[in-house]
């Protein structure tokens, strides 16, 4: 049976939550493979709106196994709070439908404190993190001093891990003018939260291997977007993990042969939260209109998103680096009513037109978008469920995007509602 990876192909906020939820109807297992609780996924089912930031989007569906893989960094207190919130909305969450990899690294309060202190210290040079400790937690993971889920099961091991961690962090905190970490309070807090986290702990790699051998369909869910990838994103204004499709295998403990289809989620225009380059950003009435019609505010942070025209250069690039098989184009309805639309088809860099975003930050800052204009449409695309429901100009817009990014449209989303989706190619088709 086919296994599918879902990744954002822009700077995040592309509508992954709805698409993963829609696809999860065809899946048996939904696995998160990277990121932390800085990812915001909104799922609308009927009159119910679910806002997730850590749990896999499939958790709101019954009869599915949701998995948090080792590639994720996990805030245990946020986990417990998010579970409680969803249970309050009538969602069943227990060890039968949620598993957390035993080798998942934890985000602790000291990580968030360090994250925020660093951002405050650099002022205008800040990266624009969510301040939730994601980056510092990944640093500790790579530095081999992280506390992992399995460590919560043994008090002696936990204390050794904490001491190693604090030897590093207390030195950093002194340099930033912060008080040393209260060791006793940290250990007490971890021991208190441990039973609630350990209730979901499992050897996820083994569970997924067995599921695959049994012919189960696995849906791999990424957070953030490809342009926030720590290697291939707009560095240093990126997240602290790999967000590309290749991370799906490492982030849950399966090999790359487990991936059969890569679905890139792409918004019909472009948005970005936080700092960093954005060649096609609009500072005019069109940009304001996109933001208002698209309700472009961060699910997690509430921050207003920067808006711009569709950037085919960037999406073509991310489709290549993630090996995207097909895209899911979302929020087409936000473009309803524009007389003229623009697509960025290249960049003018010091008088030369280039077809990719350069790696050097100074060159990125000098890139001027080269636009192609297309006719807009006045009829509504909201709620369309077939190509026949779309205005001719909207179809031409979608087809032109396919040509420019050199990748076909597999799904087309025309509203936040789960069923307002046009299926072109079923990613789960064998």
């Amino acid at each position: 049976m086919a296994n599918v990876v879902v990744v954002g192909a822009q700077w995040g906020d592309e509508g992954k939550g709805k698409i993963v939820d829609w696809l999860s109807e065809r899946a048996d297992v939904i696995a998160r493979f990277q990121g932390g609780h800085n990812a915001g996924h909104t799922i609308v089912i009927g009159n119910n709106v679910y806002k997730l930031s850590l749990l896999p989007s499939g958790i709101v569906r019954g009869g599915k196994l949701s998995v948090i893989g080792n590639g994720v960094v996990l805030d245990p207190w946020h986990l417990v709070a998010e579970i409680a919130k969803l249970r309050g909305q009538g969602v069943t969450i227990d060890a039968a439908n949620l598993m957390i990899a035993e080798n998942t690294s934890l985000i602790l309060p000291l990580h968030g404190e360090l994250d925020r202190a660093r951002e405050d210290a650099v002022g205008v040079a800040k990266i624009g993190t969510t301040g939730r400790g994601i980056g510092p937690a990944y640093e500790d993971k790579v530095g081999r001093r992280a506390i992992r889920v399995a460590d919560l099961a043994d008090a002696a091991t936990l204390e050794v891990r904490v001491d190693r961690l604090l030897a590093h962090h207390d030195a950093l905190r002194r340099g930033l003018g912060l008080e040393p970490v209260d060791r006793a309070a940290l250990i007490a807090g971890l021991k208190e939260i441990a039973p609630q986290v350990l209730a979901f702990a499992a050897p996820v790699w083994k569970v997924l291997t067995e599921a695959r051998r049994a012919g189960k369909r696995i849906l791999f869910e990424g957070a953030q977007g490809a342009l926030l990838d720590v290697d291939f994103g707009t560095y240093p204004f990126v997240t602290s993990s790999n967000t590309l499709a290749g991370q799906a295998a490492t982030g849950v403990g399966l090999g790359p042969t487990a991936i059969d289809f890569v679905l890139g989620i792409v918004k019909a225009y472009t948005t970005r939260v936080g700092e960093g380059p954005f060649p096609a950003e609009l500072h005019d009435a069109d940009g304001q209109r996109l933001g208002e019609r698209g309700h472009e505010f961060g699910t997690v942070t509430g921050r207003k998103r920067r808006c711009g025209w569709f950037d085919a250069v960037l999406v073509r690039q991310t489709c290549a680096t993630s090996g995207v098989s097909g895209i899911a184009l979302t929020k087409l309805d936000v473009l309803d009513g524009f007389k003229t639309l623009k697509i960025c088809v290249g960049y003018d860099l010091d008088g030369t037109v280039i077809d990719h975003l350069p790696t050097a930050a100074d060159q990125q800052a000098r890139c001027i978008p080269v636009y192609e204009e297309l006719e807009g449409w006045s009829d509504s695309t909201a709620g369309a469920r077939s190509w026949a429901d779309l205005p001719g100009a909207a179809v031409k817009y979608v087809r032109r995007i396919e040509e420019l990014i050199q990748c076909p449209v597999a799904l087309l989303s025309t509203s936040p509602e789960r069923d307002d989706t046009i299926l072109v190619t079923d990613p789960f088709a064998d």
Side-chain angles (χ1 to χ4, degrees), residues 28-30 58-59 61-67 83 87 92-100 197-202 207-208 216:
D28 302 296
V29 182
I30 299 90
I59 198 70
R61 282 186 174 273
K64 310 291 180 181
L65 173 62
S66 288
V67 166
I83 288 174
R87 283 174 173 167
T92 298
I93 302 176
D94 53 33
N97 70 344
L98 176 64
M99 290 184 181
I100 301 172
V197 178
L198 291 171
F200 302 102
V207 171
L208 293 184
K216 303 291 186 181

mmCIF file of all heavy atoms in Angstrom, residues 28-30 58-59 61-67 83 87 92-100 197-202 207-208 216:
data_model
loop_
_atom_site.group_PDB
_atom_site.id
_atom_site.type_symbol
_atom_site.label_atom_id
_atom_site.label_comp_id
_atom_site.label_asym_id
_atom_site.label_seq_id
_atom_site.Cartn_x
_atom_site.Cartn_y
_atom_site.Cartn_z
ATOM 1 N N ASP A 28 -4.143 4.708 7.663
ATOM 2 C CA ASP A 28 -4.310 3.964 8.908
ATOM 3 C C ASP A 28 -3.496 4.576 10.042
ATOM 4 O O ASP A 28 -3.881 4.509 11.209
ATOM 5 C CB ASP A 28 -3.861 2.507 8.710
ATOM 6 C CG ASP A 28 -4.633 1.809 7.604
ATOM 7 O OD1 ASP A 28 -5.849 1.654 7.762
ATOM 8 O OD2 ASP A 28 -4.021 1.449 6.578
ATOM 9 N N VAL A 29 -2.353 5.189 9.669
ATOM 10 C CA VAL A 29 -1.449 5.788 10.655
ATOM 11 C C VAL A 29 -1.060 7.175 10.172
ATOM 12 O O VAL A 29 -0.758 7.371 8.989
ATOM 13 C CB VAL A 29 -0.166 4.937 10.833
ATOM 14 C CG1 VAL A 29 0.736 5.555 11.902
ATOM 15 C CG2 VAL A 29 -0.509 3.497 11.175
ATOM 16 N N ILE A 30 -1.084 8.159 11.088
ATOM 17 C CA ILE A 30 -0.639 9.512 10.775
ATOM 18 C C ILE A 30 0.518 9.832 11.702
ATOM 19 O O ILE A 30 0.381 9.777 12.930
ATOM 20 C CB ILE A 30 -1.757 10.556 10.960
ATOM 21 C CG1 ILE A 30 -2.933 10.243 10.025
ATOM 22 C CG2 ILE A 30 -1.232 11.955 10.671
ATOM 23 C CD1 ILE A 30 -3.980 9.340 10.587
ATOM 24 N N GLY A 58 -4.355 13.870 12.354
ATOM 25 C CA GLY A 58 -5.257 12.731 12.306
ATOM 26 C C GLY A 58 -5.907 12.395 13.635
ATOM 27 O O GLY A 58 -6.810 11.554 13.686
ATOM 28 N N ILE A 59 -5.485 13.053 14.715
ATOM 29 C CA ILE A 59 -5.995 12.714 16.042
ATOM 30 C C ILE A 59 -7.483 13.015 16.173
ATOM 31 O O ILE A 59 -8.173 12.418 17.001
ATOM 32 C CB ILE A 59 -5.202 13.469 17.138
ATOM 33 C CG1 ILE A 59 -5.406 12.808 18.509
ATOM 34 C CG2 ILE A 59 -5.574 14.941 17.176
ATOM 35 C CD1 ILE A 59 -4.753 11.468 18.666
ATOM 36 N N ARG A 61 -9.718 12.293 14.119
ATOM 37 C CA ARG A 61 -10.501 11.253 13.448
ATOM 38 C C ARG A 61 -10.471 9.974 14.266
ATOM 39 O O ARG A 61 -9.424 9.574 14.775
ATOM 40 C CB ARG A 61 -9.939 10.957 12.055
ATOM 41 C CG ARG A 61 -10.312 11.978 11.005
ATOM 42 C CD ARG A 61 -9.822 11.507 9.651
ATOM 43 N NE ARG A 61 -10.278 12.378 8.595
ATOM 44 C CZ ARG A 61 -11.443 12.252 7.963
ATOM 45 N NH1 ARG A 61 -12.273 11.286 8.316
ATOM 46 N NH2 ARG A 61 -11.775 13.075 7.001
ATOM 47 N N GLY A 62 -11.568 9.308 14.375
ATOM 48 C CA GLY A 62 -11.622 8.048 15.096
ATOM 49 C C GLY A 62 -11.033 6.906 14.285
ATOM 50 O O GLY A 62 -11.017 6.940 13.053
ATOM 51 N N GLY A 63 -10.516 5.899 14.988
ATOM 52 C CA GLY A 63 -10.038 4.706 14.325
ATOM 53 C C GLY A 63 -8.695 4.821 13.655
ATOM 54 O O GLY A 63 -8.307 3.957 12.860
ATOM 55 N N LYS A 64 -7.943 5.895 13.936
ATOM 56 C CA LYS A 64 -6.620 6.085 13.344
ATOM 57 C C LYS A 64 -5.570 6.111 14.452
ATOM 58 O O LYS A 64 -5.822 6.552 15.564
ATOM 59 C CB LYS A 64 -6.545 7.410 12.570
ATOM 60 C CG LYS A 64 -7.684 7.632 11.590
ATOM 61 C CD LYS A 64 -7.616 6.688 10.410
ATOM 62 C CE LYS A 64 -8.780 6.957 9.452
ATOM 63 N NZ LYS A 64 -8.764 6.044 8.298
ATOM 64 N N LEU A 65 -4.371 5.656 14.137
ATOM 65 C CA LEU A 65 -3.255 5.762 15.061
ATOM 66 C C LEU A 65 -2.461 7.013 14.721
ATOM 67 O O LEU A 65 -2.023 7.193 13.586
ATOM 68 C CB LEU A 65 -2.344 4.535 14.958
ATOM 69 C CG LEU A 65 -1.037 4.603 15.763
ATOM 70 C CD1 LEU A 65 -1.328 4.728 17.257
ATOM 71 C CD2 LEU A 65 -0.167 3.384 15.469
ATOM 72 N N SER A 66 -2.280 7.888 15.702
ATOM 73 C CA SER A 66 -1.460 9.080 15.529
ATOM 74 C C SER A 66 -0.136 8.872 16.249
ATOM 75 O O SER A 66 -0.102 8.341 17.358
ATOM 76 C CB SER A 66 -2.171 10.317 16.092
ATOM 77 O OG SER A 66 -3.264 10.691 15.270
ATOM 78 N N VAL A 67 0.938 9.307 15.603
ATOM 79 C CA VAL A 67 2.280 9.058 16.118
ATOM 80 C C VAL A 67 3.076 10.351 16.138
ATOM 81 O O VAL A 67 3.052 11.124 15.170
ATOM 82 C CB VAL A 67 3.010 8.015 15.242
ATOM 83 C CG1 VAL A 67 4.494 7.982 15.548
ATOM 84 C CG2 VAL A 67 2.393 6.637 15.421
ATOM 85 N N ILE A 83 -3.874 17.893 24.800
ATOM 86 C CA ILE A 83 -4.728 16.709 24.923
ATOM 87 C C ILE A 83 -5.990 17.054 25.701
ATOM 88 O O ILE A 83 -7.112 16.684 25.312
ATOM 89 C CB ILE A 83 -3.960 15.560 25.606
ATOM 90 C CG1 ILE A 83 -2.911 14.981 24.659
ATOM 91 C CG2 ILE A 83 -4.922 14.454 26.046
ATOM 92 C CD1 ILE A 83 -2.002 13.950 25.292
ATOM 93 N N ARG A 87 -9.788 16.820 24.301
ATOM 94 C CA ARG A 87 -10.754 15.980 25.005
ATOM 95 C C ARG A 87 -11.982 16.787 25.389
ATOM 96 O O ARG A 87 -13.110 16.291 25.354
ATOM 97 C CB ARG A 87 -10.105 15.361 26.242
ATOM 98 C CG ARG A 87 -9.171 14.180 25.930
ATOM 99 C CD ARG A 87 -8.454 13.707 27.168
ATOM 100 N NE ARG A 87 -7.678 12.474 26.917
ATOM 101 C CZ ARG A 87 -6.763 11.986 27.737
ATOM 102 N NH1 ARG A 87 -6.489 12.632 28.887
ATOM 103 N NH2 ARG A 87 -6.119 10.876 27.432
ATOM 104 N N THR A 92 -11.455 11.676 21.486
ATOM 105 C CA THR A 92 -10.902 10.602 22.302
ATOM 106 C C THR A 92 -9.399 10.490 22.049
ATOM 107 O O THR A 92 -8.964 10.349 20.911
ATOM 108 C CB THR A 92 -11.567 9.257 21.969
ATOM 109 O OG1 THR A 92 -12.965 9.340 22.269
ATOM 110 C CG2 THR A 92 -10.944 8.123 22.778
ATOM 111 N N ILE A 93 -8.622 10.572 23.122
ATOM 112 C CA ILE A 93 -7.164 10.433 23.020
ATOM 113 C C ILE A 93 -6.694 9.509 24.127
ATOM 114 O O ILE A 93 -6.878 9.796 25.318
ATOM 115 C CB ILE A 93 -6.446 11.799 23.139
ATOM 116 C CG1 ILE A 93 -6.948 12.767 22.061
ATOM 117 C CG2 ILE A 93 -4.927 11.608 23.032
ATOM 118 C CD1 ILE A 93 -6.360 14.153 22.175
ATOM 119 N N ASP A 94 -6.111 8.378 23.737
ATOM 120 C CA ASP A 94 -5.572 7.432 24.713
ATOM 121 C C ASP A 94 -4.411 6.684 24.061
ATOM 122 O O ASP A 94 -4.029 6.965 22.925
ATOM 123 C CB ASP A 94 -6.655 6.470 25.216
ATOM 124 C CG ASP A 94 -7.394 5.758 24.090
ATOM 125 O OD1 ASP A 94 -6.750 5.472 23.041
ATOM 126 O OD2 ASP A 94 -8.604 5.485 24.233
ATOM 127 N N ALA A 95 -3.861 5.722 24.776
ATOM 128 C CA ALA A 95 -2.697 4.982 24.280
ATOM 129 C C ALA A 95 -3.022 4.129 23.065
ATOM 130 O O ALA A 95 -2.111 3.663 22.377
ATOM 131 C CB ALA A 95 -2.124 4.105 25.394
ATOM 132 N N ALA A 96 -4.294 3.947 22.772
ATOM 133 C CA ALA A 96 -4.676 3.152 21.603
ATOM 134 C C ALA A 96 -4.595 3.954 20.310
ATOM 135 O O ALA A 96 -4.427 3.382 19.228
ATOM 136 C CB ALA A 96 -6.091 2.609 21.789
ATOM 137 N N ASN A 97 -4.715 5.290 20.410
ATOM 138 C CA ASN A 97 -4.687 6.089 19.183
ATOM 139 C C ASN A 97 -3.595 7.153 19.159
ATOM 140 O O ASN A 97 -3.508 7.933 18.220
ATOM 141 C CB ASN A 97 -6.060 6.720 18.908
ATOM 142 C CG ASN A 97 -6.419 7.819 19.891
ATOM 143 O OD1 ASN A 97 -5.824 7.955 20.959
ATOM 144 N ND2 ASN A 97 -7.439 8.598 19.552
ATOM 145 N N LEU A 98 -2.759 7.208 20.203
ATOM 146 C CA LEU A 98 -1.639 8.140 20.210
ATOM 147 C C LEU A 98 -0.396 7.467 20.777
ATOM 148 O O LEU A 98 -0.446 6.869 21.863
ATOM 149 C CB LEU A 98 -1.955 9.385 21.044
ATOM 150 C CG LEU A 98 -0.803 10.387 21.204
ATOM 151 C CD1 LEU A 98 -0.406 10.994 19.856
ATOM 152 C CD2 LEU A 98 -1.176 11.494 22.190
ATOM 153 N N MET A 99 0.705 7.538 20.035
ATOM 154 C CA MET A 99 1.983 7.011 20.499
ATOM 155 C C MET A 99 3.058 8.070 20.325
ATOM 156 O O MET A 99 3.050 8.822 19.346
ATOM 157 C CB MET A 99 2.380 5.748 19.720
ATOM 158 C CG MET A 99 1.522 4.542 20.013
ATOM 159 S SD MET A 99 2.154 3.081 19.138
ATOM 160 C CE MET A 99 0.937 1.858 19.642
ATOM 161 N N ILE A 100 3.987 8.107 21.284
ATOM 162 C CA ILE A 100 5.116 9.038 21.236
ATOM 163 C C ILE A 100 6.398 8.226 21.252
ATOM 164 O O ILE A 100 6.568 7.344 22.106
ATOM 165 C CB ILE A 100 5.096 10.007 22.436
ATOM 166 C CG1 ILE A 100 3.789 10.801 22.455
ATOM 167 C CG2 ILE A 100 6.294 10.945 22.385
ATOM 168 C CD1 ILE A 100 3.595 11.627 23.707
ATOM 169 N N VAL A 197 3.098 11.521 30.245
ATOM 170 C CA VAL A 197 3.792 11.386 28.963
ATOM 171 C C VAL A 197 4.106 9.926 28.678
ATOM 172 O O VAL A 197 3.886 9.420 27.567
ATOM 173 C CB VAL A 197 5.085 12.221 28.955
ATOM 174 C CG1 VAL A 197 5.833 12.038 27.636
ATOM 175 C CG2 VAL A 197 4.774 13.691 29.196
ATOM 176 N N LEU A 198 4.589 9.227 29.700
ATOM 177 C CA LEU A 198 4.983 7.824 29.524
ATOM 178 C C LEU A 198 3.802 6.934 29.156
ATOM 179 O O LEU A 198 3.989 5.861 28.576
ATOM 180 C CB LEU A 198 5.652 7.307 30.801
ATOM 181 C CG LEU A 198 7.031 7.909 31.098
ATOM 182 C CD1 LEU A 198 7.498 7.498 32.489
ATOM 183 C CD2 LEU A 198 8.048 7.478 30.042
ATOM 184 N N ALA A 199 2.599 7.376 29.460
ATOM 185 C CA ALA A 199 1.404 6.595 29.099
ATOM 186 C C ALA A 199 1.293 6.393 27.591
ATOM 187 O O ALA A 199 0.650 5.445 27.118
ATOM 188 C CB ALA A 199 0.154 7.300 29.629
ATOM 189 N N PHE A 200 1.960 7.284 26.814
ATOM 190 C CA PHE A 200 1.886 7.212 25.349
ATOM 191 C C PHE A 200 3.200 6.740 24.724
ATOM 192 O O PHE A 200 3.283 6.600 23.502
ATOM 193 C CB PHE A 200 1.530 8.585 24.776
ATOM 194 C CG PHE A 200 0.227 9.137 25.286
ATOM 195 C CD1 PHE A 200 0.218 10.113 26.281
ATOM 196 C CD2 PHE A 200 -0.982 8.679 24.795
ATOM 197 C CE1 PHE A 200 -0.975 10.628 26.762
ATOM 198 C CE2 PHE A 200 -2.187 9.191 25.270
ATOM 199 C CZ PHE A 200 -2.182 10.166 26.259
ATOM 200 N N ALA A 201 4.236 6.514 25.535
ATOM 201 C CA ALA A 201 5.559 6.176 25.008
ATOM 202 C C ALA A 201 5.569 4.790 24.379
ATOM 203 O O ALA A 201 4.966 3.848 24.890
ATOM 204 C CB ALA A 201 6.598 6.256 26.120
ATOM 205 N N ALA A 202 6.291 4.660 23.257
ATOM 206 C CA ALA A 202 6.362 3.381 22.541
ATOM 207 C C ALA A 202 7.567 3.385 21.612
ATOM 208 O O ALA A 202 8.072 4.447 21.243
ATOM 209 C CB ALA A 202 5.081 3.159 21.731
ATOM 210 N N VAL A 207 6.726 -0.091 15.792
ATOM 211 C CA VAL A 207 5.289 -0.081 15.511
ATOM 212 C C VAL A 207 5.036 0.237 14.040
ATOM 213 O O VAL A 207 4.211 -0.412 13.367
ATOM 214 C CB VAL A 207 4.570 0.945 16.406
ATOM 215 C CG1 VAL A 207 3.113 1.124 15.986
ATOM 216 C CG2 VAL A 207 4.646 0.520 17.875
ATOM 217 N N LEU A 208 5.759 1.230 13.511
ATOM 218 C CA LEU A 208 5.566 1.612 12.109
ATOM 219 C C LEU A 208 6.109 0.560 11.153
ATOM 220 O O LEU A 208 5.535 0.330 10.081
ATOM 221 C CB LEU A 208 6.224 2.958 11.842
ATOM 222 C CG LEU A 208 5.591 4.168 12.537
ATOM 223 C CD1 LEU A 208 6.283 5.454 12.120
ATOM 224 C CD2 LEU A 208 4.094 4.254 12.235
ATOM 225 N N LYS A 216 -0.430 -1.530 6.056
ATOM 226 C CA LYS A 216 -1.135 -0.331 6.507
ATOM 227 C C LYS A 216 -0.645 0.883 5.728
ATOM 228 O O LYS A 216 0.526 0.967 5.344
ATOM 229 C CB LYS A 216 -0.913 -0.107 8.001
ATOM 230 C CG LYS A 216 -1.335 -1.262 8.889
ATOM 231 C CD LYS A 216 -2.837 -1.432 8.921
ATOM 232 C CE LYS A 216 -3.244 -2.499 9.936
ATOM 233 N NZ LYS A 216 -4.707 -2.702 9.972
#
